[in-house]
Amino acid sequence: MIYYTNENQNDGLGSQLQKILYTYLFCFFNDLPFVMNPIKKLEHNYNSNSDFENEINDFLNIKDYFPSRNVNENDSIHTLKFNEITHFIEHPPNMVKILNSKVMKYIRDCYWKNKTPKIKNYKTICIHIRRSNPHDTRVYGTETPTDFYFDKLDFLIFKEKLNKENIKVKIHTQSPLDFFNDSLNIKVYNDVDLKKVFHDFVSCDFLITSPSSLSYIASFFRDNQKSIYYIPFE
């Protein structure tokens, strides 16, 4: 029997989780048996935590919604290249079907199994502003001006008819930001724990993504897909 699996790399959580999730969904919707190639080494382990990858896997409950399979010596495993499956997943009619599917609901439910939703009397808006930093000097996705994100924030508040006095804005970025805004409750987080960053993206009331796999793939785990404002990849 032939099983199919995802590519494995040593880059960030967003990129690796995107490959796992895309490959699993491609297999699911094409009736192909899937076996997961788990996250083995991640970037952003700035404290050299020897158990970092296991902690991330446990945090995501990844073993719950991608159960391991017994592959015997007579079976073979074929690695699906990411660029082979991206078009299928991101084809607009397929994407709508996937995001609203029972299997995605199951994945979201598994993610929340070891987490408690926070009860609050205000709305939270998370903004991911990708910037280069000493740990990650890649340029792609970092050039979007800060004002661009604040324009999207103003548009979101207007469109959703939000009360500015009842909003908390969290900005996750990797470098200090230079901005002025005295009309909103805004807090900037730099290099916060990766699990907290991802969970903020999943659990906030509204999410403004950056051209980054981290906030993009976190958006798949959100129940309300209409509360996401995407900054497209170019």
Side-chain angles (χ1 to χ4, degrees), residues 127-133 136-146 148-149 172-175 177 208-215 231-234:
I127 306 175
H128 185 206
I129 301 180
R130 184 176 178 188
R131 292 288 182 260
S132 59
N133 63 93
D136 185 355
T137 58
R138 290 173 294 182
V139 175
Y140 178 79
T142 66
E143 311 99 319
T144 307
T146 301
F148 182 85
Y149 291 96
H172 283 291
T173 186
Q174 295 156 299
S175 297
L177 289 182
I208 298 175
T209 69
S210 73
S212 162
S213 293
L214 182 61
S215 50
I231 308 300
F233 291 79
E234 296 180 353

Side-chain angles (χ1 to χ4, degrees), residues 19 48 59 66 75 80 90 92 116 124 147 172 177 187 221:
K19 290 178 175 65
S48 300
F59 164 76
F66 299 134
D75 295 328
L80 288 170
E90 296 182 354
T116 303
T124 54
D147 287 346
H172 283 291
L177 289 182
K187 188 168 183 179
F221 289 75

Side-chain angles (χ1 to χ4, degrees), residues 72-166:
N72 62 48
E73 60 183 15
N74 295 321
D75 295 328
S76 60
I77 298 177
H78 174 70
T79 299
L80 288 170
K81 299 296 183 183
F82 185 65
N83 59 9
E84 294 176 348
I85 61 176
T86 301
H87 177 72
F88 174 86
I89 299 295
E90 296 182 354
H91 183 52
N94 291 348
M95 182 63 82
V96 172
K97 178 181 177 180
I98 288 167
L99 291 175
N100 293 287
S101 66
K102 289 182 178 180
V103 67
M104 269 311 310
K105 181 182 183 305
Y106 172 67
I107 291 171
R108 294 176 189 129
D109 289 345
C110 287
Y111 172 81
W112 278 100
K113 279 182 181 178
N114 61 351
K115 302 168 189 69
T116 303
K118 185 177 181 180
I119 299 174
K120 55 191 188 312
N121 58 0
Y122 55 86
K123 297 293 185 182
T124 54
I125 300 173
C126 273
I127 306 175
H128 185 206
I129 301 180
R130 184 176 178 188
R131 292 288 182 260
S132 59
N133 63 93
H135 302 293
D136 185 355
T137 58
R138 290 173 294 182
V139 175
Y140 178 79
T142 66
E143 311 99 319
T144 307
T146 301
D147 287 346
F148 182 85
Y149 291 96
F150 277 87
D151 288 344
K152 294 299 180 185
L153 175 61
D154 289 339
F155 173 76
L156 186 160
I157 292 171
F158 172 78
K159 181 176 181 294
E160 302 292 342
K161 298 180 174 62
L162 300 177
N163 180 356
K164 289 187 177 182
E165 296 181 356
N166 196 41

